[in-house]
Amino acid sequence: MDAPFRPGASTVFRQCAALPRPGWLNSPTIQGIMAYDHKQIEAEWQRRWKEQGTFRTGNDPARPKYYVLDMFPYPSGAGLHVGHPLGYIASDIVARYKRHCGFNVLHPMGYDSFGLPAEQYAIQTGQHPAKTTEENAARYRAQLDRIGFSFDWDREVRTSDPAFYKWTQWIFLQLFNSWYDPRADKARPIAELVARFERQGCQGQDADVLTGDTEEFIGPFTADEWKGFDERTKQMVLQRFRLAYLSEAWVNWCPALGTVLANDEVKDGVSERGGHPVERKRMPQWSLRITAYAQRLLDGLEGLDWPEALKETQRNWIGKSTGASVRFPVGDDFIEVFTTRPDTLFGVSFITLAPEHVLVAKFTTHDRRTEVEAYVKRATNRSERERQADVDRISGVFTGSYAKHPFTGADIPVWVGDYVLGGYGTGAVMAVPGGDQRDWRFAKHFGLPIIAVTEGADVGKEADERKDATICSEGFLKGLQVPQAITRAIEELEKIGAGEGKVNFRLRDATFGRQRYWGEPIPIYYKDDIPYPLPESELPLKLPEVDKFLPTETGEPPLARAKNWTYEGYPLETTTMPGWAGSSWYFLRYMDPKNEGRFASPEAIDYWGQVDLYIGGSEHSTGHLLYFRFWTKFLHDLGLLPFDEPAKKLVNQGMIQGISMMAKVQASTKDGEEHYLVLPPDSKGEGIFERNYLVDHVLLREGKHWINEDGAAKTREVPAFRGFHLSGPSIELKPVVEKMSKSKYNVVNPDDIIAKYGADTLRLYEMFLGPLEQSKPWDTHGIEGTFRFLKKFWNLFHGPEDAFNVTDETPTKAELKTLHATLKKVTEDIPKMSFNTSVAQFMIAVNELHALRCNKRAVLEPLTIALAPFAPHIAEELWRRMGHAESISTAPWPQWEQRHLEEDSFTYPISFNGKMRLQLELPLTLDAKAMEAAVLANPEVQQRLEGKTPKKVVVVPKRIVNIVV
RNA sequence: GCCCGGGUGGUGGAAUGGUAGACACGAGGGACUUAAAAUCCCUUGGUCCGCAAGGGCCGUGCGGGUUCAAGUCCCGCCCCGGGCACCA
């Protein structure tokens, strides 16, 4: 009260708002207003939240639940950069918002702490991966804490913790002890399959049982034969049905990493991590039968609120195609092929087998043997990358055998060609050069006959792959349209027993064993080389100590180095699980993280249910997110989960890119030392190359980026920049947007931002940058805007000398309008995840309230609650200063009211032929007719009409008036 | 090649078919200051006419179309990003 000019107290002030402020207001004493001390406030509230357990979450069946989950991080040695928290900030806003709305919110965090980098580091330094993992996790935790997340850390999980991986191993055992029943379309205990074999045997590969399509054919056997099998044979047969199984299979072997990789871990023929070459190799291998779930994984996408692009990626990856299976007899054997175009059967002029095809050797005639064997050897030794690299080179060899066409009985030559993939379908194709470009090129290359299958095709030039054509090849399909011909061909195939309609998937079973140390041990032991599951009582099977984290001299995985790596004298499995094992079910453990008797109690699972909102990067589309769904469906089949999809809604946050500063650099050697001269970006000449400059020490001047001697000196402290000198007093640098990466010197550390501006500013700025889903560059300069906003917000509550000053006066209509417009916008934006527009609205509100000199509790209190999810520390502090003892997180969400937004007049844009020409304020009480009259009566409108009568006047109440002349 | 996204000022971006460019950065000008920082005020899509007040024209990747009205809807292209790809 001692300050006569405190904001909001003077009507004179309000009227003067638009005028320049008198100079004395800017005097140093009044400058004391600037006392928003983010450092002190944030440290204080982070301490309180921790001490008071503000965000500890109980299982409370009386309250509605909401489960917001982030994809947990792999704690790498590099720590977090500003891109990492983007999704966490978004999920934290939703979590906090939902708490205000009365939900019991589960918002946990943990670490995906098994993985390659810790092990690579261990190999180099001899440090145990558990130690580096622990250190890295602690560092992550400290960084995350500084951002002020409302995670319930009491529920933290780590996949490398034995108490956690005990249950990963337990789920593995359930997979091992299950088979997939295609009739019931679900997983069932393997014991039921055994009982069935004892009862009725097995018809081999039929519709009643499902085997993986990467395995060899299983011959039929009777119940009596089954009973007569020895233990070994029985177990070998059962392996072909288990959902976790050991088989001899083609795998992606990465020599550099010394391990096998799943398909999603290989990109363009090199490993996703590290970019090392990948070979195809045949070896015994643990796999998970995800293919059994292909159709359900595809169908399940329908009901999910996931990004369309991501669902499409999964659909592509699953790769369903519908067609027919056709058998071509060869002597007393046959070749089975899969085709999507059985309508082109009369155009088949040869058959091609993949080099890996099991029947190649059998069908090769004596005189062709040498040539075929040489070809097969050459083809299978080529790495995936080599194979993909020269797709254009055509190679193949004739086996010397002929197959019989099922309809015409004609002899069809059997070839081997590496354009046919061993891993897809049956590894054999019926070649129709007239209808398939790949077959066409092969035929052309080897001079094989090309038969036209469709009317209007010019097969001399290329194959005709149209699906809206008419069949013209001789036979009963002639004259039919393609779709009808497909149906008809399948009918005929089924009639003569030469084939049937079939669905094929591109999805492969997932290789599950890794020849590495730092992963979950697979709970299996071997008796007479037959794998047996470890009893549950033996779990967790803890990782043993080893002398080195390297393979043994004989090439066995690191676990083979462990002493006594046995169970009751029998050797234990030495491969470990892949990185994605723990992340396939971790969301369940958060529900009941300390449970020692189960992976989670049924009560906890029933209460928390599906994840309501899952946020993470789109790079997990075909890996994690597919396994995550697969395991959920499997546990559902066993009756352990009431739902069969893990996450209802999923959002992919975009990447925050870094801005690299490019300079032209010229290298020279002087006194045996290297020197680099930094040149302006337009420099040209010999020996000049581009180089990223360290971003931190670059200046912004007149919208351009510069480096001067001062910045260069600081940069020189970084070893990579030693020996750098500027060619002038300051050099302009060229900004380039790229992925944030240490090697590009464009990484921005959130700790630095927080130290300077505070966590609330960081949170607001990351949200303000643009739509969450979009990738966008980080520009530290822009952060000033959100920082200023928070200072202005703070100043609404404070008078001179930082004296807290909020009144209980009744707010004006204008103030209430600002408040309610903001509440409305923010309440509508949060569920849409449109946080950038929310922040913009808060800025508008503060600008308006500032101009109105509003410091009224009735306005500022609800506004503070609305801001709390975004900027929780400043909100807590102001809330406390407004006299509240409880955390603001307990305050109910303020509701907006329409009545405060309503006006009695509206300023209409008046347009002529769609072009806005003037504005006219009209009362909202007028109806369309009265409005038209009022508009036309306006002198300015009259003047523009120049006496003409308008053709038409369009009046849209509360929107626009358009006059057509 | 196929399938998804997406092209708006100097920059990040905003716009239920209804005033394009909210909000912010940057830039320019000004106030305060010995000065700087901080803060505050004004201007800021391009262009043309005008001393000014003001006004005209162009403008959301390109070309058409629907509509009183199109960044938004439809058709045809171009470019950028992502996914799949010798998948039969």
Side-chain angles (χ1 to χ4, degrees):
Chain A
M1 285 318 235
D2 45 10
F5 295 104
R6 100 189 119 81
S10 157
T11 45
V12 177
F13 243 97
R14 220 164 289 154
Q15 287 155 7
C16 293
L19 300 171
R21 297 174 69 178
W24 53 261
L25 232 184
N26 297 303
S27 71
T29 19
I30 309 288
Q31 292 300 299
I33 290 173
M34 291 317 309
Y36 164 48
D37 182 355
H38 61 261
K39 274 203 178 114
Q40 190 269 325
I41 293 169
E42 289 176 1
E44 172 68 11
W45 281 99
Q46 283 165 13
R47 187 183 61 76
R48 287 194 193 205
W49 291 333
K50 197 171 194 172
E51 270 178 24
Q52 294 167 11
T54 310
F55 302 112
R56 211 171 286 146
T57 310
N59 296 5
D60 180 0
R63 282 162 69 205
K65 69 93 188 183
Y66 195 84
Y67 189 176
V68 202
L69 184 64
D70 294 287
M71 289 184 191
F72 62 170
Y74 174 81
S76 83
L80 296 172
H81 65 61
V82 290
H84 292 114
L86 182 71
Y88 305 157
I89 295 169
S91 66
D92 197 55
I93 289 170
V94 174
R96 288 173 181 269
Y97 167 73
K98 285 285 173 182
R99 281 190 204 101
H100 288 295
C101 293
F103 288 88
N104 189 26
V105 175
L106 181 56
H107 185 43
M109 183 47 83
Y111 305 100
D112 190 13
S113 46
F114 271 135
L116 278 178
E119 183 166 346
Q120 303 284 61
Y121 188 73
I123 291 168
Q124 286 161 24
T125 64
Q127 284 242 38
H128 197 283
K131 188 165 174 272
T132 48
T133 300
E134 178 66 42
E135 288 163 3
N136 292 346
R139 175 137 176 249
Y140 265 59
R141 175 66 194 276
Q143 283 190 297
L144 292 171
D145 279 351
R146 276 196 280 277
I147 304 173
F149 293 120
S150 64
F151 295 127
D152 177 1
W153 283 105
D154 286 358
R155 290 176 183 259
E156 177 191 314
V157 302
R158 292 185 190 195
T159 53
S160 60
D161 178 356
F164 180 91
Y165 71 66
K166 170 180 179 178
W167 298 106
T168 311
Q169 292 171 331
W170 183 83
I171 294 169
F172 174 84
L173 291 182
Q174 310 310 306
L175 286 159
F176 181 81
N177 286 321
S178 300
W179 66 296
Y180 201 85
D181 178 352
R183 289 273 184 237
D185 204 13
K186 61 184 260 195
R188 294 171 63 178
I190 197 87
E192 290 181 21
L193 185 66
V194 173
R196 179 202 183 98
F197 287 163
E198 284 169 356
R199 206 165 57 239
Q200 60 190 76
C202 174
Q203 280 65 56
Q205 253 170 348
D206 61 27
D208 285 343
V209 288
L210 193 82
T211 63
D213 50 10
T214 52
E215 299 158 51
E216 284 100 83
F217 179 75
I218 293 181
F221 52 82
T222 63
D224 287 336
E225 281 173 317
W226 169 261
K227 286 172 201 154
F229 288 159
D230 59 16
E231 171 69 9
R232 180 185 199 84
T233 312
K234 278 185 182 170
Q235 288 301 331
M236 295 295 273
V237 171
L238 288 178
Q239 283 297 327
R240 287 164 161 76
F241 296 89
R242 297 181 187 275
L243 293 186
Y245 62 94
L246 185 66
S247 69
E248 183 83 15
W250 288 98
V251 296
N252 305 305
W253 172 257
C254 179
L257 295 174
T259 190
V260 301
L261 299 169
N263 285 352
D264 63 276
E265 293 166 316
V266 181
K267 287 245 151 74
D268 302 322
V270 297
S271 68
E272 200 180 23
R273 256 184 213 273
H276 306 294
V278 172
E279 298 169 2
R280 290 179 51 72
K281 191 172 170 184
R282 200 167 163 80
M283 57 190 286
Q285 180 59 51
W286 282 99
S287 300
L288 297 191
R289 207 177 300 282
I290 189 173
T291 50
Y293 285 84
Q295 187 64 51
R296 283 169 65 191
L297 288 168
L298 193 60
D299 295 342
L301 290 170
E302 289 306 317
L304 296 179
D305 184 5
W306 288 21
E308 200 41 55
L310 191 150
K311 291 208 254 181
E312 199 56 34
T313 300
Q314 291 212 343
R315 285 187 200 109
N316 279 342
W317 189 261
I318 295 167
K320 180 179 182 176
S321 40
T322 310
S325 180
V326 186
R327 285 180 285 280
F328 289 79
V330 183
D332 53 3
D333 213 322
F334 63 86
I335 295 170
E336 184 165 8
V337 303
F338 172 73
T339 178
T340 56
R341 296 291 302 274
D343 56 310
T344 63
L345 255 164
F346 289 100
V348 174
S349 55
F350 56 100
I351 279 172
T352 315
L353 303 177
E356 304 94 313
H357 199 286
V358 283
L359 293 177
V360 168
K362 184 165 181 189
F363 292 155
T364 302
T365 55
H366 222 70
D367 55 317
R368 312 284 309 146
R369 182 128 293 163
T370 325
E371 203 183 330
V372 172
E373 277 175 1
Y375 178 73
V376 168
K377 198 170 172 199
R378 198 158 12 102
T380 47
N381 277 349
R382 286 172 81 200
S383 74
E384 276 292 284
R385 191 164 56 164
E386 282 169 349
R387 202 161 153 164
Q388 281 180 13
D390 47 29
V391 158
D392 289 333
R393 210 175 65 202
I394 297 160
S395 71
V397 63
F398 177 46
T399 61
S401 290
Y402 291 86
K404 283 239 175 309
H405 192 288
F407 292 133
T408 67
D411 279 336
I412 299 166
V414 178
W415 284 66
V416 179
D418 71 355
Y419 80 97
V420 177
L421 303 175
Y424 182 75
T426 59
V429 299
M430 57 176 225
V432 183
D436 184 292
Q437 191 59 27
R438 294 158 301 183
D439 297 339
W440 187 90
R441 294 200 322 155
F442 195 83
K444 203 78 180 165
H445 190 262
F446 290 107
L448 294 158
I450 299 172
I451 306 162
V453 282
T454 44
E455 275 176 19
D458 179 6
V459 296
K461 253 172 74 192
E462 59 180 355
D464 176 16
E465 299 188 340
R466 285 175 302 149
K467 286 178 184 126
D468 56 353
T470 307
I471 300 295
C472 72
S473 48
E474 289 306 320
F476 55 81
L477 299 173
K478 189 173 181 179
L480 292 176
Q481 289 290 299
V482 169
Q484 287 79 3
I486 289 173
T487 316
R488 182 70 202 285
I490 292 171
E491 280 169 18
E492 292 296 326
L493 283 170
E494 288 176 354
K495 205 178 283 173
I496 63 167
E500 56 277 317
K502 193 174 182 211
V503 171
N504 222 338
F505 293 95
R506 201 187 70 91
L507 184 70
R508 300 276 64 105
D509 277 346
T511 58
F512 198 68
R514 295 292 180 273
Q515 288 69 15
R516 307 293 305 202
Y517 176 75
W518 193 232
E520 302 87 345
I522 293 177
I524 290 287
Y525 67 96
Y526 293 87
K527 193 151 79 182
D528 304 328
D529 288 340
I530 302 165
Y532 288 95
L534 220 56
E536 278 179 29
S537 58
E538 294 295 318
L539 300 185
L541 173 62
K542 289 192 190 166
L543 262 177
E545 289 306 319
V546 290
D547 56 343
K548 272 189 247 173
F549 303 102
L550 287 168
T552 64
E553 281 66 34
T554 53
E556 280 184 278
L559 292 199
R561 291 177 174 274
K563 289 191 191 93
N564 304 322
W565 188 237
T566 54
Y567 169 69
E568 295 187 344
Y570 299 109
L572 284 161
E573 170 65 43
T574 54
T575 60
T576 53
M577 299 188 196
W580 48 267
S583 60
S584 297
W585 74 280
Y586 76 117
F587 78 109
L588 297 167
R589 190 62 179 171
Y590 284 132
M591 297 175 181
D592 193 7
K594 308 242 159 54
N595 196 320
E596 288 178 14
R598 296 184 67 107
F599 64 93
S601 74
E603 297 74 34
I605 293 168
D606 274 346
Y607 178 60
W608 291 112
Q610 286 169 287
V611 173
D612 293 283
L613 175 64
Y614 194 31
I615 297 186
S618 57
E619 66 273 20
H620 298 110
S621 303
T622 51
H624 162 62
L625 288 174
L626 223 39
Y627 302 122
F628 189 51
R629 297 181 58 217
F630 162 38
W631 283 37
T632 302
K633 288 183 188 298
F634 169 67
L635 293 172
H636 170 78
D637 287 355
L638 297 194
L640 297 168
L641 303 179
F643 45 84
D644 81 336
E645 282 290 345
K648 279 193 242 179
K649 182 179 167 80
L650 181 137
V651 175
N652 289 133
Q653 86 275 23
M655 209 185 352
I656 291 192
Q657 295 143 313
I659 301 177
S660 311
M661 291 302 158
M662 299 289 274
K664 289 279 177 72
V665 167
Q666 193 163 34
S668 64
T669 311
K670 200 168 69 184
D671 312 328
E673 269 189 67
E674 291 194 322
H675 288 265
Y676 298 90
L677 198 59
V678 180
L679 307 162
D682 52 2
S683 306
K684 287 186 193 103
E686 280 287 299
I688 295 180
F689 57 94
E690 286 202 304
R691 170 101 193 195
N692 285 303
Y693 229 80
L694 201 61
V695 178
D696 310 21
H697 306 133
V698 166
L699 302 166
L700 187 70
R701 204 164 67 210
E702 285 156 21
K704 290 176 176 164
H705 301 269
W706 303 84
I707 186 154
N708 60 9
E709 232 347 285
D710 193 35
K714 284 182 203 152
T715 309
R716 257 178 246 129
E717 289 164 16
V718 177
F721 286 105
R722 207 158 287 152
F724 274 67
H725 295 278
L726 306 185
S727 65
S730 61
I731 302 290
E732 190 184 338
L733 301 173
K734 190 176 71 183
V736 181
V737 174
E738 347 175 66
K739 195 176 164 177
M740 219 173 249
S741 140
K742 230 174 164 178
S743 65
K744 298 189 159 80
Y745 302 106
N746 63 357
V747 173
V748 181
N749 187 326
D751 299 351
D752 299 341
I753 302 292
I754 289 169
K756 191 158 176 203
Y757 301 100
D760 285 337
T761 298
L762 173 77
R763 291 168 62 109
L764 278 172
Y765 186 56
E766 293 224 1
M767 293 299 102
F768 185 63
L769 232 35
L772 181 65
E773 307 80 18
Q774 227 167 76
S775 288
K776 53 243 159 184
W778 174 273
D779 175 13
T780 300
H781 294 109
I783 204 169
E784 295 285 350
T786 46
F787 188 46
R788 270 176 217 145
F789 157 74
L790 284 181
K791 287 190 282 191
K792 277 194 207 169
F793 187 72
W794 179 266
N795 288 347
L796 287 175
F797 298 74
H798 295 85
E801 308 287 329
D802 199 31
F804 185 75
N805 184 8
V806 168
T807 75
D808 288 323
E809 284 169 57
T810 311
T812 64
K813 204 170 169 225
E815 291 165 345
L816 285 171
K817 192 182 171 191
T818 296
L819 170 67
H820 286 267
T822 304
L823 295 178
K824 179 173 195 265
K825 181 85 179 121
V826 174
T827 307
E828 288 170 355
D829 280 352
I830 293 177
K832 284 192 295 185
M833 313 233 100
S834 180
F835 305 115
N836 56 328
T837 52
S838 295
V839 177
Q841 181 60 40
F842 281 122
M843 290 175 169
I844 293 169
V846 167
N847 289 344
E848 286 177 0
L849 294 176
H850 185 82
L852 292 165
R853 314 271 161 205
C854 174
N855 66 338
K856 292 168 188 165
R857 173 185 296 275
V859 172
L860 297 183
E861 238 180 42
L863 196 62
T864 305
I865 301 170
L867 184 69
F870 296 81
H873 310 87
I874 192 174
E876 287 278 23
E877 180 62 20
L878 292 169
W879 188 248
R880 187 187 65 77
R881 289 181 181 219
M882 281 188 285
H884 299 275
E886 290 250 328
S887 161
I888 193 168
S889 63
T890 60
W893 189 253
Q895 302 297 310
W896 59 276
E897 288 168 42
Q898 185 62 38
R899 65 192 169 98
H900 295 301
L901 303 176
E902 269 152 18
E903 295 280 351
D904 34 17
S905 71
F906 181 79
T907 307
Y908 283 90
I910 310 297
S911 55
F912 288 75
N913 294 333
K915 287 184 183 181
M916 210 278 284
R917 281 295 116 101
L918 59 119
Q919 294 192 332
L920 217 52
E921 187 171 336
L922 295 171
L924 282 168
T925 46
L926 295 186
D927 63 6
K929 238 189 175 138
M931 268 175 65
E932 186 178 330
V935 169
L936 292 177
N938 180 277
E940 214 178 326
V941 172
Q942 280 298 321
Q943 198 192 333
R944 280 175 190 278
L945 281 170
E946 295 167 335
K948 285 175 264 177
T949 314
K951 269 200 214 131
K952 191 176 175 185
V953 180
V954 181
V955 175
V956 186
K958 273 206 98 174
R959 286 254 175 263
I960 201 167
V961 176
N962 190 17
I963 299 166
V964 186
V965 280

